[in-house]
Amino acid sequence: GQNIDQPTEMTATEGAIVQINCTYQTSGFNGLFWYQQHAGEAPTFLSYNVLDGLEEKGRFSSFLSRSKGYSYLLLKELQMKDSASYLCAVKGGSYIPTFGRGTSLIVHP
Amino acid sequence: GAVVSQHPSWVICKSGTSVKIECRSLDFQATTMFWYRQFPKQSLMLMATSNEGSKATYEQGVEKDKFLINHASLTLSTLTVTSAHPEDSSFYICSALYGGAGAKPGELFFGEGSRLTVL
């Protein structure tokens, strides 16, 4: 089976940096995704990691350590519109990603 | 990126009636689509995998006779909630794997979601 764990909720200040962690235990590993989901909307793709290291894309970066079963999503220069749920999803032995419960990020002025 | 469209966005129905939700891939062919359900503040829970031209594969605990899935063409999958009850009220989201240029292996493209409220 697969187990994906991430914090339920985080708060941060506008303009700051926040790191959302995700740990996983899976049978097999074929990639880790981060999705952003605003309330009442479908998830949108943010990042994909399959090799160890940091992937940077604008204000968002994602890190992966396969040996530790660990990833994080780093958001810089936070904006109010970044308030959303952030979903960590892992593709194990199956071709279908399994989602964690999501981390609700609240950005305040 | 690839576009997946879902309809209707909102639906309210009476208990005991059936509701059909459509999921279309607009600019690519999707042999496989996925149906998820999401309760408030919960993660996406995979309900079933819809395969074009064959029977859907349901996850454990999902009633196949209650949640009918039809994938009659390469661009359309439908989910019918039969004899809906208030506990079926949820956010239903479809997605498809797009293997074309630019997509990451295993990346899912999601429809807009359908919020079902059963009175």
Side-chain angles (χ1 to χ4, degrees):
Chain A
Q2 301 190 115
N3 186 41
I4 301 170
D5 193 33
Q6 48 182 133
T8 303
E9 187 174 293
M10 300 182 70
T11 59
T13 305
E14 190 176 17
I17 299 173
V18 70
Q19 177 175 313
I20 303 174
N21 296 323
C22 172
T23 58
Y24 63 90
Q25 296 94 40
T26 61
S27 51
F29 178 81
N30 287 294
L32 186 145
F33 297 85
W34 284 95
Y35 285 84
Q36 180 191 60
Q37 185 179 25
H38 285 98
E41 299 180 9
T44 56
F45 170 80
L46 287 179
S47 68
Y48 170 70
N49 295 71
V50 66
L51 299 176
D52 291 349
L54 186 68
E55 294 277 346
E56 297 186 78
K57 188 188 296 184
R59 294 190 298 115
F60 293 3
S61 303
S62 57
F63 172 83
L64 174 67
S65 170
R66 288 171 296 171
S67 62
K68 296 181 179 179
Y70 168 68
S71 171
Y72 68 72
L73 179 69
L74 191 72
L75 292 78
K76 304 175 184 176
E77 302 171 16
L78 280 174
Q79 302 175 9
M80 298 297 290
K81 67 179 183 179
D82 296 329
S83 293
S85 183
Y86 291 85
L87 306 174
C88 173
V90 178
K91 194 156 75 81
S94 162
Y95 61 96
I96 307 170
T98 298
F99 286 84
R101 295 172 64 90
T103 299
S104 178
L105 174 65
I106 301 169
V107 180
H108 55 83
Chain B
V3 178
V4 177
S5 178
Q6 194 171 335
H7 176 81
S9 301
W10 295 82
V11 58
I12 300 173
C13 69
K14 293 182 179 179
S15 184
T17 60
S18 295
V19 174
K20 180 186 283 188
I21 302 170
E22 295 185 346
C23 179
R24 296 181 184 273
S25 55
L26 297 185
D27 52 357
F28 68 102
Q29 294 182 332
T31 56
T32 304
M33 291 184 176
F34 307 98
W35 287 96
Y36 291 86
R37 180 167 54 183
Q38 187 177 37
F39 292 106
K41 298 191 176 183
Q42 300 289 317
S43 184
L44 298 170
M45 296 303 297
L46 181 65
M47 297 175 66
T49 302
S50 171
N51 303 296
E52 187 270 335
S54 64
K55 292 182 179 180
T57 304
Y58 289 82
E59 296 299 301
Q60 192 173 10
V62 178
E63 301 175 57
K64 61 181 66 177
D65 293 332
K66 180 169 184 62
F67 299 99
L68 301 179
I69 291 173
N70 184 281
H71 196 153
S73 77
L74 288 171
T75 59
L76 174 64
S77 175
T78 60
L79 169 69
T80 301
V81 183
T82 63
S83 187
H85 291 285
E87 57 265 31
D88 298 324
S89 299
S90 187
F91 192 49
Y92 293 87
I93 310 175
C94 72
S95 69
L97 280 171
Y98 171 63
K104 304 296 186 288
E107 180 182 353
L108 293 173
F109 289 87
F110 288 88
E112 303 94 332
S114 300
R115 185 161 301 284
L116 170 63
T117 301
V118 184
L119 302 176

